[in-house]
Amino acid sequence: MAHYVWMIINALLVIGTAVYIYIWLFRPNDSAAVLAGKWLAQVAVLLFLVNVNMYFIFLVIRKTKIRKVKVTLARIARSMMKAHIPLAVAGTSLIVFHGVVMAWKLGAVIGFGHGKLVTGYASLAMLAITLFAGVLRRQKASGWRRTFHLVSALLFAGLFLLHLFWPI
């Protein structure tokens, strides 16, 4: 059951990214800063997609009965885990820069209380909680800390999708 929910969330992330790229390519920009902010967001989304998909790899490792698949995916997961924290830090840095640029350029135009910016604020807050949960998990692994990190990451993904699809 959980893997179906995960596949739906993953599909929404991929579709959302494709829609966002389409809008980004065919919507004129008034400033180079907005264009740079969109580029930052695109790169950050790719970094976060790699990190979020680690859950899917671990889910397949747990659920599959085929040993060869488990061993292959475990090797991939081991190498991905080494990049997990650097990708998260890089993605977070890009997201912060994206948020600053977009709030600076779009806040004056559409208002700081606009739904697009509010969902961005909420996503950024959820990202901070996810990072905090990751730090806790790294300090001492436990079932509760793993679940806290996982749930906060999925909530961040949901808020991000809401932010992505919110019209300007």
Side-chain angles (χ1 to χ4, degrees):
M1 176 63 180
H3 61 282
Y4 292 119
V5 172
W6 178 248
M7 288 169 45
I8 291 168
I9 290 172
N10 200 30
L12 286 173
L13 280 169
V14 171
I15 291 168
T17 302
V19 168
Y20 190 71
I21 289 171
Y22 173 79
I23 291 169
W24 178 78
L25 287 174
F26 296 103
R27 188 169 185 180
N29 295 301
D30 294 336
S31 90
V34 171
L35 184 62
K38 289 181 178 183
W39 270 104
L40 292 171
Q42 288 298 310
V43 174
V45 165
L46 292 175
L47 295 175
F48 283 126
L49 279 176
V50 170
N51 270 352
V52 168
N53 277 305
M54 290 182 68
Y55 171 74
F56 183 68
I57 289 172
F58 289 127
L59 183 68
V60 172
I61 290 170
R62 275 195 311 275
K63 298 292 183 181
T64 189
K65 305 280 189 226
I66 305 167
R67 178 166 164 54
K68 188 174 182 179
V69 171
K70 284 186 179 207
V71 170
T72 303
L73 288 177
R75 285 187 184 131
I76 293 169
R78 189 174 297 126
S79 63
M80 285 179 68
M81 280 305 293
K82 292 176 184 170
H84 184 73
I85 294 172
L87 288 176
V89 169
T92 300
S93 301
L94 293 174
I95 289 296
V96 168
F97 285 130
H98 163 75
V100 168
V101 167
M102 298 311 253
W104 169 53
K105 293 305 273 184
L106 290 180
V109 176
I110 64 175
F112 291 101
H114 188 275
K116 184 74 162 182
L117 276 96
V118 170
T119 56
Y121 307 147
S123 297
L124 190 59
M126 198 66 231
L127 177 59
I129 292 169
T130 302
L131 292 174
F132 174 70
V135 168
L136 288 178
R137 181 166 160 71
R138 184 168 169 88
Q139 287 175 348
K140 180 183 176 200
S142 70
W144 182 86
R145 290 178 183 207
R146 176 190 169 276
T147 303
F148 179 43
H149 185 56
L150 176 63
V151 169
S152 63
L154 293 177
L155 287 173
F156 164 68
L159 282 171
F160 159 72
L161 285 173
L162 186 63
H163 172 69
L164 182 68
F165 287 118
W166 199 280
I168 290 182

